[in-house]
Amino acid sequence: MLHRGQQGTDGTDGGELTVPMAWLYAEYIADELLRTGDLMPPTSFEFRAGRDALALTVFLSDTDGELSGIRVVTQLETWLSLTAYDQPWQEWVRERIDQLGAEAAESAGPAPDLALAESAWRWLQETELLAPDLNAVPGPGGGAAVGEDEGPKVWTPAWQLGLPLGHLAIHLF
């Protein structure tokens, strides 16, 4: 939990705790969607990439600032459209984080939810995971089908692996 001191009118510190509930709830929703899909072990980096991409989508798409458990099912279509293959998800994330950062700066208050979202975004951008090369051309003669572990691999930014995983998890929910 993050701590935020608050000055009282008598000069004392109120010691109010600021809990990033919106981010934690978005992360919980993403985690549940991925676990329900049972696409990979929850301890894998791929799972984390999917969870972080989904959590960013859930958190940043909440324009009213009120993630509600009742509205989760009604938001699935929105999240599907945001995570679709042909959508500029990466640019959308940057724009929303910048927008929320500007709003937080105007209110002059700390934004613990935004700090966690920015941290997840940095991890997704800076971390590369070894994944099957889906653009690899089979060898001469058409090549025999090889298993996932035997085919060519390529280092891929975590968000590029996590985003389709999250999208698939929403479909499977």
Side-chain angles (χ1 to χ4, degrees), residues 12-13 16 23 74 82 102 104 109 160:
T12 61
D13 186 4
E16 178 182 317
W23 175 259
T74 64
L82 288 168
Q160 287 182 350

Side-chain angles (χ1 to χ4, degrees), residues 38-56:
D38 196 27
L39 299 170
M40 61 193 38
T43 56
S44 68
F45 284 113
E46 291 84 358
F47 185 91
R48 178 181 175 186
R51 186 194 64 217
D52 284 0
L54 266 179
L56 276 169

Side-chain angles (χ1 to χ4, degrees), residues 22-40:
W23 175 259
L24 293 175
Y25 190 55
E27 203 171 44
Y28 169 77
I29 291 168
D31 195 75
E32 286 300 310
L33 287 170
L34 283 167
R35 285 179 191 271
T36 300
D38 196 27
L39 299 170
M40 61 193 38

Side-chain angles (χ1 to χ4, degrees), residues 96-173:
R96 286 290 296 146
I97 285 177
D98 290 346
Q99 180 183 6
L100 292 174
E103 290 171 8
E106 285 178 13
S107 68
D113 294 302
L114 182 58
L116 291 172
E118 288 171 333
S119 177
W121 180 231
R122 269 190 311 279
W123 185 84
L124 285 168
Q125 286 184 297
E126 296 171 1
T127 303
E128 291 190 342
L129 302 174
L130 196 57
D133 186 357
L134 300 177
N135 295 322
V137 178
V146 293
E148 179 181 315
D149 294 334
E150 301 155 7
K153 305 265 186 183
V154 62
W155 288 102
T156 307
W159 74 267
Q160 287 182 350
L161 192 60
L163 188 62
L165 179 62
H167 184 78
L168 181 58
I170 296 169
H171 267 296
L172 294 174
F173 187 75

Side-chain angles (χ1 to χ4, degrees), residues 24-101:
L24 293 175
Y25 190 55
E27 203 171 44
Y28 169 77
I29 291 168
D31 195 75
E32 286 300 310
L33 287 170
L34 283 167
R35 285 179 191 271
T36 300
D38 196 27
L39 299 170
M40 61 193 38
T43 56
S44 68
F45 284 113
E46 291 84 358
F47 185 91
R48 178 181 175 186
R51 186 194 64 217
D52 284 0
L54 266 179
L56 276 169
T57 304
V58 170
F59 175 72
L60 296 174
S61 66
D62 181 35
T63 55
D64 296 331
E66 50 184 57
L67 284 171
S68 169
I70 296 170
R71 291 183 43 222
V72 168
V73 174
T74 64
Q75 294 298 310
L76 291 175
E77 287 299 319
T78 300
W79 301 335
L80 272 174
S81 67
L82 288 168
T83 59
Y85 177 74
D86 59 347
Q87 296 302 310
W89 184 82
Q90 185 180 18
E91 290 80 19
W92 174 78
V93 168
R94 282 192 203 123
E95 289 171 8
R96 286 290 296 146
I97 285 177
D98 290 346
Q99 180 183 6
L100 292 174

